[in-house]
Amino acid sequence: MLINMNRGKQLLQKAFAESYSKIKDNEFCEQTARSKLKHSFQVLGTGNYLLRNEPLFKNKNSDYITDCQAVCLLHDIGRFKELEFLYNDINSHHNHALYSYQVLKDAGYNNLRILLPVKYHTYDISLLENDDEFINIQDNKLKAEIIEIYKLLKDTDKLANLYIAKTQNRLFHDLLSKKILQQPLDSSVSEEIYDSFSNHQLAKTSKVKNLNDRFLQVLSFIFDINFKSSFKFIKFHGLSEYLLSVLSAHNKNSVQQKNIEEISKNYIEERLK
């Protein structure tokens, strides 16, 4: 089935409305549902930025561009189903990317340029490349396009999160980090999070122990970004500078802070070359 963006928006709104009616009396689930609906449109916005500015996407045909936009808009549609489970057990764990993939399949979408990037957008590319559906594709051009769109979604998802971290002061009222927010603010970054950042690695949520860890975890998104235009977006909006300034205001370890700032600056400058 070919994607139609109006139908895609209707599908997203329907998934939101159906789940919202079941979980709206739970403050956490209600606020998270609204946040994720808004996030979906924010990711579409950053996706349109990359589609306009990244050379890779400049000469793509309209069907390809529409698929890219659909992936950005619908990548988290499974979040609403996830919230229904969390409503009943807040400590349960779920794969919202897989839920999103399944929701789209159930709605009649069979386009692998959409399905596979959505299914693996929270995972390393190696898992996508080892998926049976991907392996069985005979068309190498289609495989390359799936990888391109996967990378686009990885970037747009992170750009949207970095942007709202700054513009909405999100880090200080993160719905998904309430336990972290209860920890003392003025501390150093924990050794494990600092080491992963020093090695240009994404920091794992399960390892985050305090709010400074959370600041650096979000900044570590830069190590999972693919396109030069994405780094131009980060630089233009001062997103890394904002996170560094917030961390600097609360990180009591000045040596650690200086190293973090140097690592971030050097990495972004290198990616902008």
Side-chain angles (χ1 to χ4, degrees):
M1 178 185 293
L2 290 175
I3 192 76
N4 173 284
M5 285 305 290
N6 286 331
R7 183 173 184 269
K9 291 175 182 178
Q10 292 170 0
L11 184 64
L12 180 67
Q13 294 283 0
K14 180 182 177 183
F16 166 77
E18 288 180 350
S19 291
Y20 188 80
S21 65
K22 302 173 184 177
I23 55 88
K24 62 183 180 181
D25 62 327
N26 180 291
E27 181 182 6
F28 168 80
C29 291
E30 188 268 343
Q31 290 184 19
T32 303
R34 289 184 179 276
S35 173
K36 292 305 174 183
L37 180 63
K38 184 176 182 180
H39 170 72
S40 298
F41 286 96
Q42 290 168 325
V43 173
L44 176 59
T46 53
N48 283 330
Y49 165 84
L50 279 184
L51 291 172
R52 290 192 304 268
N53 291 282
E54 183 61 34
L56 174 65
F57 304 109
K58 288 289 180 70
N59 297 314
K60 299 292 187 179
N61 63 46
S62 60
D63 287 343
Y64 178 99
I65 295 300
T66 299
D67 286 350
C68 289
Q69 292 172 325
V71 165
C72 291
L73 179 68
L74 299 173
H75 74 288
D76 269 356
I77 195 169
R79 282 286 192 186
F80 307 119
K81 179 61 66 175
E82 177 187 43
L83 284 170
E84 292 181 36
F85 290 111
L86 291 175
Y87 177 84
N88 293 310
D89 181 3
I90 198 65
N91 294 313
S92 59
H93 298 282
H94 304 275
N95 184 342
H96 77 271
L98 182 58
Y99 290 158
S100 296
Y101 165 87
Q102 194 60 54
V103 168
L104 294 177
K105 285 198 76 172
D106 292 345
Y109 296 112
N110 54 14
N111 184 345
L112 293 180
R113 284 200 310 207
I114 295 173
L115 292 175
L116 290 180
V118 166
K119 185 177 182 181
Y120 288 101
H121 75 270
T122 60
Y123 296 98
D124 184 79
I125 194 171
S126 61
L127 292 180
L128 166 58
E129 292 172 332
N130 286 293
D131 181 274
D132 287 341
E133 283 185 297
F134 184 83
I135 291 171
N136 292 331
I137 295 171
Q138 300 300 311
D139 184 348
N140 287 331
K141 180 174 181 289
L142 175 58
K143 279 189 170 182
E145 290 175 342
I146 290 170
I147 295 297
E148 291 167 2
I149 297 175
Y150 162 85
K151 289 181 177 179
L152 172 78
L153 179 55
K154 295 285 280 190
D155 279 25
T156 56
D157 198 9
K158 287 179 172 58
L159 290 179
N161 281 319
L162 286 167
Y163 187 77
I164 65 171
K166 177 182 179 181
T167 58
Q168 298 178 24
N169 203 25
R170 175 69 174 270
L171 293 171
F172 293 97
H173 53 88
D174 192 334
L175 293 170
L176 300 178
S177 305
K178 286 192 173 183
K179 290 183 179 179
I180 297 170
L181 296 178
Q182 295 169 3
Q183 301 299 315
L185 183 58
D186 293 305
S187 60
S188 59
V189 175
S190 63
E191 184 175 342
E192 195 165 3
I193 298 296
Y194 176 70
D195 286 346
S196 67
F197 189 84
S198 299
N199 290 311
H200 294 180
Q201 297 171 347
L202 281 174
K204 295 181 179 179
T205 300
S206 60
K207 304 298 183 182
V208 171
K209 298 177 181 177
N210 58 56
L211 198 54
N212 283 322
D213 284 1
R214 177 62 172 153
F215 297 152
L216 194 57
Q217 180 197 27
V218 175
L219 182 59
S220 76
F221 287 176
I222 62 175
F223 303 132
D224 199 36
I225 286 177
N226 298 282
F227 298 116
K228 186 174 180 178
S229 294
S230 299
F231 286 96
K232 289 182 177 179
F233 182 95
I234 289 170
K235 189 173 182 65
F236 178 81
H237 291 287
L239 304 183
S240 59
E241 288 89 345
Y242 167 75
L243 286 165
L244 287 170
S245 68
V246 171
L247 182 61
S248 179
H250 303 289
N251 185 6
K252 67 180 184 181
N253 188 328
S254 59
V255 174
Q256 187 187 69
Q257 180 66 26
K258 182 179 178 181
N259 290 338
I260 289 169
E261 291 174 2
E262 195 70 18
I263 291 167
S264 175
K265 176 185 175 182
N266 290 341
Y267 185 83
I268 292 174
E269 286 182 353
E270 184 64 28
R271 294 302 303 271
L272 284 169
K273 289 181 180 178

